[in-house]
PDB file of all heavy atoms in Angstrom:
ATOM      1  N   LEU B  60      11.405 -22.581   7.644  1.00 96.00           N
ATOM      2  CA  LEU B  60      11.173 -23.367   6.378  1.00 96.00           C
ATOM      3  C   LEU B  60      12.535 -23.985   5.887  1.00 96.00           C
ATOM      4  O   LEU B  60      13.516 -23.388   6.011  1.00 96.00           O
ATOM      5  CB  LEU B  60      10.772 -22.488   5.205  1.00 96.00           C
ATOM      6  CG  LEU B  60       9.298 -22.037   5.094  1.00 96.00           C
ATOM      7  CD1 LEU B  60       9.154 -21.289   3.860  1.00 96.00           C
ATOM      8  CD2 LEU B  60       8.269 -23.062   5.229  1.00 96.00           C
ATOM      9  N   HIS B  61      12.374 -25.336   5.540  1.00 96.00           N
ATOM     10  CA  HIS B  61      13.522 -25.959   5.053  1.00 96.00           C
ATOM     11  C   HIS B  61      13.303 -27.022   4.039  1.00 96.00           C
ATOM     12  O   HIS B  61      12.106 -27.295   3.784  1.00 96.00           O
ATOM     13  CB  HIS B  61      14.314 -26.553   6.157  1.00 96.00           C
ATOM     14  CG  HIS B  61      13.660 -27.557   6.988  1.00 96.00           C
ATOM     15  ND1 HIS B  61      12.838 -27.184   8.020  1.00 96.00           N
ATOM     16  CD2 HIS B  61      13.452 -28.779   6.873  1.00 96.00           C
ATOM     17  CE1 HIS B  61      12.198 -28.243   8.550  1.00 96.00           C
ATOM     18  NE2 HIS B  61      12.525 -29.229   7.822  1.00 96.00           N
ATOM     19  N   SER B  62      14.287 -27.555   3.380  1.00 97.00           N
ATOM     20  CA  SER B  62      14.086 -28.537   2.364  1.00 97.00           C
ATOM     21  C   SER B  62      14.563 -29.903   2.710  1.00 97.00           C
ATOM     22  O   SER B  62      15.410 -30.070   3.624  1.00 97.00           O
ATOM     23  CB  SER B  62      14.810 -28.166   1.102  1.00 97.00           C
ATOM     24  OG  SER B  62      14.496 -26.874   0.670  1.00 97.00           O
ATOM     25  N   TRP B  63      13.868 -30.914   2.082  1.00 98.00           N
ATOM     26  CA  TRP B  63      14.333 -32.321   2.340  1.00 98.00           C
ATOM     27  C   TRP B  63      14.694 -32.989   1.010  1.00 98.00           C
ATOM     28  O   TRP B  63      14.142 -32.564   0.001  1.00 98.00           O
ATOM     29  CB  TRP B  63      13.145 -33.119   2.921  1.00 98.00           C
ATOM     30  CG  TRP B  63      12.916 -32.848   4.366  1.00 98.00           C
ATOM     31  CD1 TRP B  63      12.619 -31.705   4.989  1.00 98.00           C
ATOM     32  CD2 TRP B  63      13.253 -33.817   5.438  1.00 98.00           C
ATOM     33  NE1 TRP B  63      12.633 -31.710   6.404  1.00 98.00           N
ATOM     34  CE2 TRP B  63      12.963 -33.018   6.656  1.00 98.00           C
ATOM     35  CE3 TRP B  63      13.641 -35.122   5.624  1.00 98.00           C
ATOM     36  CZ2 TRP B  63      13.111 -33.687   8.015  1.00 98.00           C
ATOM     37  CZ3 TRP B  63      13.674 -35.668   6.855  1.00 98.00           C
ATOM     38  CH2 TRP B  63      13.444 -34.958   8.082  1.00 98.00           C
ATOM     39  N   ILE B  64      15.562 -33.875   1.038  1.00 98.00           N
ATOM     40  CA  ILE B  64      15.938 -34.656  -0.102  1.00 98.00           C
ATOM     41  C   ILE B  64      15.365 -36.106   0.137  1.00 98.00           C
ATOM     42  O   ILE B  64      15.591 -36.599   1.083  1.00 98.00           O
ATOM     43  CB  ILE B  64      17.546 -34.671  -0.260  1.00 98.00           C
ATOM     44  CG1 ILE B  64      18.098 -33.299  -0.416  1.00 98.00           C
ATOM     45  CG2 ILE B  64      17.817 -35.540  -1.578  1.00 98.00           C
ATOM     46  CD1 ILE B  64      17.670 -32.548  -1.703  1.00 98.00           C
ATOM     47  N   VAL B  65      14.576 -36.513  -0.933  1.00 98.00           N
ATOM     48  CA  VAL B  65      14.041 -37.814  -0.956  1.00 98.00           C
ATOM     49  C   VAL B  65      14.731 -38.666  -2.032  1.00 98.00           C
ATOM     50  O   VAL B  65      14.933 -38.236  -3.173  1.00 98.00           O
ATOM     51  CB  VAL B  65      12.521 -37.727  -1.286  1.00 98.00           C
ATOM     52  CG1 VAL B  65      11.896 -39.114  -1.342  1.00 98.00           C
ATOM     53  CG2 VAL B  65      11.884 -36.839  -0.270  1.00 98.00           C
ATOM     54  N   THR B  66      15.101 -39.860  -1.657  1.00 98.00           N
ATOM     55  CA  THR B  66      15.752 -40.728  -2.669  1.00 98.00           C
ATOM     56  C   THR B  66      14.888 -41.962  -2.878  1.00 98.00           C
ATOM     57  O   THR B  66      14.510 -42.695  -1.909  1.00 98.00           O
ATOM     58  CB  THR B  66      17.170 -41.125  -2.213  1.00 98.00           C
ATOM     59  OG1 THR B  66      17.893 -39.935  -1.894  1.00 98.00           O
ATOM     60  CG2 THR B  66      17.923 -41.849  -3.358  1.00 98.00           C
ATOM     61  N   VAL B  67      14.435 -42.181  -4.076  1.00 98.00           N
ATOM     62  CA  VAL B  67      13.558 -43.347  -4.270  1.00 98.00           C
ATOM     63  C   VAL B  67      14.319 -44.360  -5.311  1.00 98.00           C
ATOM     64  O   VAL B  67      14.834 -44.029  -6.244  1.00 98.00           O
ATOM     65  CB  VAL B  67      12.297 -42.842  -5.126  1.00 98.00           C
ATOM     66  CG1 VAL B  67      11.298 -43.980  -5.241  1.00 98.00           C
ATOM     67  CG2 VAL B  67      11.611 -41.736  -4.416  1.00 98.00           C
ATOM     68  N   THR B  68      14.363 -45.560  -4.751  1.00 98.00           N
ATOM     69  CA  THR B  68      14.876 -46.622  -5.606  1.00 98.00           C
ATOM     70  C   THR B  68      13.905 -47.863  -5.630  1.00 98.00           C
ATOM     71  O   THR B  68      12.909 -47.852  -4.877  1.00 98.00           O
ATOM     72  CB  THR B  68      16.204 -47.171  -4.904  1.00 98.00           C
ATOM     73  OG1 THR B  68      15.946 -47.690  -3.636  1.00 98.00           O
ATOM     74  CG2 THR B  68      17.253 -46.088  -4.850  1.00 98.00           C
ATOM     75  N   THR B  69      14.206 -48.718  -6.545  1.00 97.00           N
ATOM     76  CA  THR B  69      13.469 -50.020  -6.568  1.00 97.00           C
ATOM     77  C   THR B  69      14.002 -50.922  -5.363  1.00 97.00           C
ATOM     78  O   THR B  69      15.112 -50.582  -4.830  1.00 97.00           O
ATOM     79  CB  THR B  69      13.683 -50.757  -7.887  1.00 97.00           C
ATOM     80  OG1 THR B  69      15.007 -51.112  -7.959  1.00 97.00           O
ATOM     81  CG2 THR B  69      13.299 -49.978  -9.028  1.00 97.00           C
ATOM     82  N   PRO B  70      13.281 -51.876  -5.030  1.00 97.00           N
ATOM     83  CA  PRO B  70      13.858 -52.765  -3.885  1.00 97.00           C
ATOM     84  C   PRO B  70      15.244 -53.282  -4.308  1.00 97.00           C
ATOM     85  O   PRO B  70      16.038 -53.549  -3.379  1.00 97.00           O
ATOM     86  CB  PRO B  70      12.784 -53.936  -3.821  1.00 97.00           C
ATOM     87  CG  PRO B  70      11.572 -53.322  -4.322  1.00 97.00           C
ATOM     88  CD  PRO B  70      11.918 -52.372  -5.390  1.00 97.00           C
ATOM     89  N   ALA B  71      15.516 -53.367  -5.640  1.00 97.00           N
ATOM     90  CA  ALA B  71      16.839 -53.916  -6.007  1.00 97.00           C
ATOM     91  C   ALA B  71      17.901 -52.764  -5.983  1.00 97.00           C
ATOM     92  O   ALA B  71      19.053 -53.039  -6.254  1.00 97.00           O
ATOM     93  CB  ALA B  71      16.734 -54.521  -7.420  1.00 97.00           C
ATOM     94  N   GLY B  72      17.457 -51.538  -5.654  1.00 96.00           N
ATOM     95  CA  GLY B  72      18.441 -50.496  -5.506  1.00 96.00           C
ATOM     96  C   GLY B  72      18.640 -49.572  -6.738  1.00 96.00           C
ATOM     97  O   GLY B  72      19.483 -48.687  -6.815  1.00 96.00           O
ATOM     98  N   ALA B  73      17.795 -49.852  -7.827  1.00 97.00           N
ATOM     99  CA  ALA B  73      17.890 -49.023  -9.037  1.00 97.00           C
ATOM    100  C   ALA B  73      17.187 -47.631  -8.796  1.00 97.00           C
ATOM    101  O   ALA B  73      16.019 -47.634  -8.250  1.00 97.00           O
ATOM    102  CB  ALA B  73      17.298 -49.716 -10.189  1.00 97.00           C
ATOM    103  N   PRO B  74      17.864 -46.553  -9.090  1.00 98.00           N
ATOM    104  CA  PRO B  74      17.122 -45.236  -8.897  1.00 98.00           C
ATOM    105  C   PRO B  74      15.807 -45.164  -9.711  1.00 98.00           C
ATOM    106  O   PRO B  74      15.756 -45.597 -10.917  1.00 98.00           O
ATOM    107  CB  PRO B  74      18.156 -44.177  -9.360  1.00 98.00           C
ATOM    108  CG  PRO B  74      19.218 -44.953 -10.034  1.00 98.00           C
ATOM    109  CD  PRO B  74      19.130 -46.409  -9.736  1.00 98.00           C
ATOM    110  N   VAL B  75      14.833 -44.533  -9.155  1.00 97.00           N
ATOM    111  CA  VAL B  75      13.500 -44.313  -9.840  1.00 97.00           C
ATOM    112  C   VAL B  75      13.420 -42.819 -10.134  1.00 97.00           C
ATOM    113  O   VAL B  75      13.383 -41.963  -9.212  1.00 97.00           O
ATOM    114  CB  VAL B  75      12.353 -44.657  -8.859  1.00 97.00           C
ATOM    115  CG1 VAL B  75      10.989 -44.310  -9.578  1.00 97.00           C
ATOM    116  CG2 VAL B  75      12.487 -46.233  -8.543  1.00 97.00           C
ATOM    117  N   ASP B  76      13.547 -42.499 -11.446  1.00 96.00           N
ATOM    118  CA  ASP B  76      13.681 -41.007 -11.768  1.00 96.00           C
ATOM    119  C   ASP B  76      12.447 -40.393 -12.208  1.00 96.00           C
ATOM    120  O   ASP B  76      12.407 -39.117 -12.392  1.00 96.00           O
ATOM    121  CB  ASP B  76      14.723 -40.992 -12.888  1.00 96.00           C
ATOM    122  CG  ASP B  76      16.172 -40.826 -12.269  1.00 96.00           C
ATOM    123  OD1 ASP B  76      16.232 -40.360 -11.039  1.00 96.00           O
ATOM    124  OD2 ASP B  76      17.202 -41.198 -12.930  1.00 96.00           O
ATOM    125  N   ASP B  77      11.417 -41.068 -12.565  1.00 94.00           N
ATOM    126  CA  ASP B  77      10.139 -40.466 -13.072  1.00 94.00           C
ATOM    127  C   ASP B  77       9.019 -40.362 -12.103  1.00 94.00           C
ATOM    128  O   ASP B  77       7.899 -40.383 -12.406  1.00 94.00           O
ATOM    129  CB  ASP B  77       9.795 -41.222 -14.328  1.00 94.00           C
ATOM    130  CG  ASP B  77       9.494 -42.652 -14.026  1.00 94.00           C
ATOM    131  OD1 ASP B  77       9.853 -43.119 -12.893  1.00 94.00           O
ATOM    132  OD2 ASP B  77       8.899 -43.292 -14.850  1.00 94.00           O
ATOM    133  N   ALA B  78       9.423 -40.355 -10.748  1.00 97.00           N
ATOM    134  CA  ALA B  78       8.323 -40.524  -9.726  1.00 97.00           C
ATOM    135  C   ALA B  78       7.674 -39.129  -9.531  1.00 97.00           C
ATOM    136  O   ALA B  78       8.123 -38.020  -9.726  1.00 97.00           O
ATOM    137  CB  ALA B  78       8.923 -40.864  -8.386  1.00 97.00           C
ATOM    138  N   THR B  79       6.311 -39.223  -9.249  1.00 98.00           N
ATOM    139  CA  THR B  79       5.496 -38.134  -8.809  1.00 98.00           C
ATOM    140  C   THR B  79       5.352 -38.378  -7.289  1.00 98.00           C
ATOM    141  O   THR B  79       4.889 -39.407  -6.879  1.00 98.00           O
ATOM    142  CB  THR B  79       4.054 -38.202  -9.511  1.00 98.00           C
ATOM    143  OG1 THR B  79       4.339 -38.307 -10.870  1.00 98.00           O
ATOM    144  CG2 THR B  79       3.329 -36.939  -9.259  1.00 98.00           C
TER     145      THR B  79
END
Side-chain angles (χ1 to χ4, degrees):
Chain B
L60 278 186
H61 59 270
S62 303
W63 283 66
I64 301 295
V65 179
T66 308
V67 186
T68 62
T69 63
V75 176
D76 273 335
D77 57 348
T79 311

